[in-house]
């Protein structure tokens, strides 16, 4: 078995919907704190082989800023949000009310501003997910790192690698005042949590 | 990326001869391990993800193989050994086009391609299948020890190379590597397998030296999972000690992602991080 769990099309659609609602809610929260209009593309939800993960997401050595947090409560899992370095710096400029292009590196102050944003962002994401499935899911403390994509993601892929070869990835693009901010959101559930999530979606939304 | 570069994927290893650069990208908690024998000119690199396989729920690939051979390859001998070891050859091809169309129909776990496959070469067929499906598993078959050819096949993306004379050992070594590829992410499987395979290729244990890089903790404040990099490093080190292979260079830990490139002609390692690049011993 390559994936953690075998899903039919309907279940995959339900998971996509979970991703969409989460991303939508997170973008709305972001829009509020930045006080900017935010547009969001329909996310792409797929299982990606762990060995192909970084090439699918723009290359192993691409510098990205990642926000990592654990999900606790009824579901046990991990989430990582990845932003291209450019997008992360654009978000920092917006957070700090600076002219776009002011931020040139992700230093201590920038990371702190970014962390502020990620607290709100990830909280909104997970509360949408929790509401949708009627579960309690609490975000752990977000951790930030700016480095090569592969190196940032490998810890999360390692968690999966003990029992599966694929990882669930929700990819989306958000634009803030017509400027693109690209983000990739990777949700990792352990097998029992993923099953629980699917079962809940089944009973709540009557999928067959 | 240089033109003679062999890319070692996350959770795998590769063994090559002089004249190549072995590369693995963006090591975070993972550990990159170079083992080489300068005297025999055999060089290996592994990209380890996890310390040990005991608790894992990973399985071997199923043994569904697609087999292709030109007129000169002793194909009955090779097939005989594979069948004896429970590989099931679900389709066969004797030239490129039929190989490609069989690949699409049977979706094999692994594909054997003779480098002498008509009409031109098996290499073309390999590249075509890899372009179609980067996760495909391909073993190239070379009739005798032709080091430049073997290097070039690995550079172009072959998962392993089977070389003549087609003894049971030479047939099974690359086959086992690929069929167990999901286990090559574990130090306890990948490192011994790579060392044994290097020995089959003429390397001597007493000449082997190692370089170990990686095992970082990318999210510095994170407590959970934080020691996975360290555990990877310790597992690798323990195995190298058991084999009596000295670690002549190591750079482990910290909170930095690292790409490593091992230039086999100089036996030098280049470490690339987001802040720059350096050449080490």
């Amino acid at each position: 078995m390559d994936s953690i769990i075998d899903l039919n099309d309907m279940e995959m659609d339900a998971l996509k919907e979970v991703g969409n609602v989460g991303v939508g809610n997170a973008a709305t929260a972001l829009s509020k704190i930045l006080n900017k209009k935010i547009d969001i593309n329909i996310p792409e939800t797929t299982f990606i082989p762990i060995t192909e993960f970084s090439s699918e997401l723009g290359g192993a050595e691409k510098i990205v800023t990642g926000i990592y947090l654990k999900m606790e409560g009824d579901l046990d899992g991990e989430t990582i949000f990845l932003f291209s370095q450019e997008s992360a710096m654009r978000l920092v400029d917006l957070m700090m009310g600076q002219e776009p292009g002011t931020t040139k590196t992700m230093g201590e102050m920038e990371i702190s501003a970014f962390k502020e944003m990620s607290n709100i962002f990830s909280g909104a994401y997970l509360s949408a997910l929790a509401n949708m499935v009627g579960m309690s899911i609490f975000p752990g403390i977000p951790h930030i790192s700016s480095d090569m994509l592969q190196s940032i993601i490998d810890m999360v892929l390692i968690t999966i690698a003990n029992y599966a070869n694929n990882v669930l990835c929700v990819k989306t693009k958000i634009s803030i005042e017509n400027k693109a901010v690209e983000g990739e959101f990777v949700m990792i559930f352990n097998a029992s949590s993923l099953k629980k999530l699917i079962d809940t979606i089944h009973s709540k939304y009557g999928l067959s | 990326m240089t033109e003679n570069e062999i890319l070692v994927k996350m959770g795998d290893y590769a063994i090559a001869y002089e004249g190549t650069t072995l590369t693995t990208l963006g090591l975070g908690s993972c550990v990159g391990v170079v083992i080489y024998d300068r005297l025999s000119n055999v060089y290996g690199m592994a990209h380890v993800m996890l310390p040990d396989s005991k608790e894992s729920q990973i399985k071997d690939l199923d043994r569904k193989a697609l087999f292709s051979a030109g007129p000169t390859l002793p194909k009955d001998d090779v097939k005989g050994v594979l069948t004896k070891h429970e590989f099931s050859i679900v389709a066969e091809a004797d030239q490129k086009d039929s190989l490609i169309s069989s690949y699409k129909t049977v979706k094999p776990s692994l594909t054997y391609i003779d480098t002498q496959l008509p009409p031109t070469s098996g290499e073309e067929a390999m590249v075509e299948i890899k372009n179609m499906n980067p996760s495909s598993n391909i073993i190239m078959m070379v009739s005798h020890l032709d080091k430049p050819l073997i290097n070039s096949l690995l550079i172009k993306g072959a998962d392993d190379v089977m070389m003549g004379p087609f003894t049971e050992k030479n047939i099974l070594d690359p086959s086992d590597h690929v069929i167990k590829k999901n286990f090559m992410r574990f130090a306890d499987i990948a490192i011994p397998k790579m060392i044994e395979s290097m020995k089959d290729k003429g390397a001597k244990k007493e000449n082997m030296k190692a370089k170990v890089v990686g095992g970082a903790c990318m999210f510095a404040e994170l407590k959970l999972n934080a020691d996975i990099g360290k555990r990877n490093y310790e597992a690798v080190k323990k195995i190298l000690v058991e084999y009596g292979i000295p670690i002549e260079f190591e750079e482990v830990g910290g909170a930095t992602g690292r790409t490593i490139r091992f230039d086999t002609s100089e036996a030098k390692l280049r470490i690339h991080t987001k802040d720059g690049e350096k050449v080490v011993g």
Side-chain angles (χ1 to χ4, degrees):
Chain A
M1 182 172 67
D2 259 6
S3 304
I4 309 174
I5 187 167
D6 288 321
L7 301 176
N8 63 34
D9 289 352
M10 199 99 87
E11 291 165 335
M12 199 63 205
D13 282 347
L15 262 190
K16 281 183 188 171
E17 194 52 32
V18 168
N20 295 359
V21 170
V23 170
N25 210 41
T28 309
L30 201 54
S31 168
K32 279 187 191 146
I33 47 165
L34 300 175
N35 197 21
K36 303 273 180 201
K37 183 175 172 289
I38 291 185
D39 293 308
I40 178 162
N41 284 14
I42 295 175
E44 233 180 276
T45 305
T46 42
F47 279 98
I48 301 177
I50 53 177
T51 50
E52 302 300 326
F53 188 87
S54 55
S55 43
E56 291 270 339
L57 270 75
E61 292 186 294
K62 179 178 151 189
I63 304 294
V64 298
T65 295
I67 309 165
Y68 168 90
L69 61 122
K70 281 191 89 70
M71 291 179 252
E72 283 149 12
D74 292 340
L75 285 184
D76 188 10
E78 298 166 281
T79 295
I80 195 158
F81 303 93
L82 299 167
F83 293 93
S84 72
Q85 194 68 341
E86 212 184 21
S87 300
M89 293 192 291
R90 187 168 291 157
L91 284 169
V92 170
D93 284 336
L94 289 166
M95 273 298 286
M96 296 171 68
Q98 295 169 162
E99 278 294 301
T102 310
T103 302
K104 298 269 191 306
T105 51
M106 290 294 282
E108 216 167 295
M109 196 169 67
E110 288 78 13
I111 288 198
S112 160
F114 195 78
K115 207 176 241 178
E116 188 80 16
M117 184 218 75
S118 32
N119 267 320
I120 296 160
F121 185 80
S122 49
Y125 182 90
L126 287 184
S127 71
L129 179 73
N131 278 341
M132 192 183 170
V133 296
M135 289 180 178
S136 309
I137 308 169
F138 313 106
I141 302 159
H143 297 276
I144 316 277
S145 177
S146 284
D147 212 307
M148 293 185 248
L149 168 63
Q150 176 80 48
S151 68
I152 285 192
I153 199 75
D154 76 359
M155 184 182 75
V156 177
L157 298 178
I158 282 168
T159 317
I160 286 286
N162 237 331
Y163 52 86
N165 297 315
N166 284 336
V167 60
L168 183 66
C169 179
V170 183
K171 245 201 247 192
T172 192
K173 269 188 190 142
I174 55 180
S175 341
I176 302 174
E177 295 194 325
N178 301 322
K179 289 226 167 182
V181 169
E182 281 181 50
E184 272 109 19
F185 311 135
V186 188
M187 288 190 285
I188 316 268
F189 299 102
N190 63 29
S192 65
S193 286
L194 189 55
K195 190 169 182 312
K196 202 159 149 190
L197 183 64
I198 298 291
D199 288 348
T200 310
I201 294 170
H202 267 284
S203 59
K204 211 166 151 68
Y205 297 94
L207 297 180
S208 55
Chain B
M1 188 95 184
T2 53
E3 59 186 35
N4 64 351
E5 194 159 82
I6 296 171
L7 195 62
V8 180
K9 282 192 175 181
M10 178 175 65
D12 202 357
Y13 71 81
I15 298 167
Y17 301 100
E18 64 273 25
T20 53
T21 297
L22 286 158
T23 296
T24 203
L25 304 173
L27 296 161
S29 321
C30 293
V31 170
V33 186
V34 173
I35 299 176
Y36 70 104
D37 172 357
R38 196 89 177 111
L39 296 174
S40 322
N41 270 313
V42 180
Y43 304 85
M45 181 186 281
H47 184 138
V48 168
M49 297 177 78
L50 284 154
D52 86 84
S53 59
K54 280 180 209 77
E55 305 275 302
S56 85
Q57 295 160 39
I58 294 296
K59 294 187 183 72
D60 288 359
L61 304 183
D62 65 40
R63 300 183 165 235
K64 205 169 103 179
L66 167 61
F67 191 87
S68 69
T72 53
L73 192 116
K75 64 175 178 182
D76 290 334
D77 297 351
V78 179
K79 277 163 53 192
V81 171
L82 291 175
T83 318
K84 187 177 137 200
H85 290 273
E86 288 164 5
F87 286 84
S88 102
I89 293 164
V90 290
E92 276 186 69
D94 56 11
Q95 44 90 10
K96 185 187 146 198
D97 288 346
S98 63
L99 171 68
I100 304 284
S101 71
S102 295
Y103 180 84
K104 289 178 185 160
T105 344
V106 302
K107 299 189 175 65
S109 303
L110 75 168
T111 302
Y112 293 88
I113 307 177
D114 181 2
T115 37
Q116 305 286 330
L117 191 70
T120 47
S121 80
E123 208 169 296
E124 270 179 37
M126 171 186 81
V127 171
E128 204 169 317
I129 293 174
K130 279 283 173 189
N131 284 339
M132 210 155 54
N133 176 13
S135 308
S136 56
N137 300 304
I138 301 181
I139 294 174
M140 297 302 294
M141 298 181 288
V142 178
S143 59
H144 62 282
L145 180 57
D146 179 343
K147 290 180 178 180
L149 176 61
I150 292 170
N151 282 341
S152 114
L153 292 167
L154 292 167
I155 290 164
K156 291 194 169 118
D159 293 273
D160 208 336
V161 178
M162 182 196 296
M163 58 188 161
F166 295 106
T167 57
E168 187 153 336
K169 205 175 192 180
N170 284 352
I171 294 167
L172 288 179
D173 172 56
S175 304
D176 277 346
H177 174 200
V178 171
I179 220 76
K180 293 190 181 303
K181 80 177 238 185
N182 293 335
F183 286 93
M184 300 306 155
R185 59 185 66 151
F186 300 103
D188 65 330
I189 307 283
I191 304 299
K193 169 78 178 145
M194 182 166 91
I195 293 169
E196 292 308 323
S197 183
M198 286 177 70
K199 279 158 62 182
D200 291 347
K201 291 175 171 64
K204 297 207 165 46
K205 204 179 78 178
E206 55 273 25
N207 299 336
M208 288 183 188
K209 288 175 183 158
K211 299 175 197 282
V212 181
V213 175
C217 176
M218 299 304 294
F219 296 87
E221 306 149 22
L222 198 63
K223 299 282 185 290
L224 284 161
N225 294 0
D227 66 336
I228 183 67
K230 196 171 163 222
R231 285 194 289 131
N232 278 333
Y233 163 67
E234 279 163 2
V236 166
K237 190 173 170 178
K238 182 169 167 272
I239 296 161
L240 291 172
V241 167
E242 278 165 16
Y243 275 90
I245 299 171
I247 301 177
E248 56 166 16
F249 174 83
E250 63 178 38
E251 184 184 299
V252 291
T256 308
R258 301 169 174 102
T259 283
I260 54 169
R261 292 189 162 81
F262 184 67
D263 174 359
T264 58
S265 41
E266 303 277 329
K268 289 250 170 18
L269 192 67
R270 264 186 297 153
I271 304 179
H272 172 88
T273 68
K274 68 176 194 293
D275 302 316
E277 195 164 283
K278 61 180 175 188
V279 179
V280 298

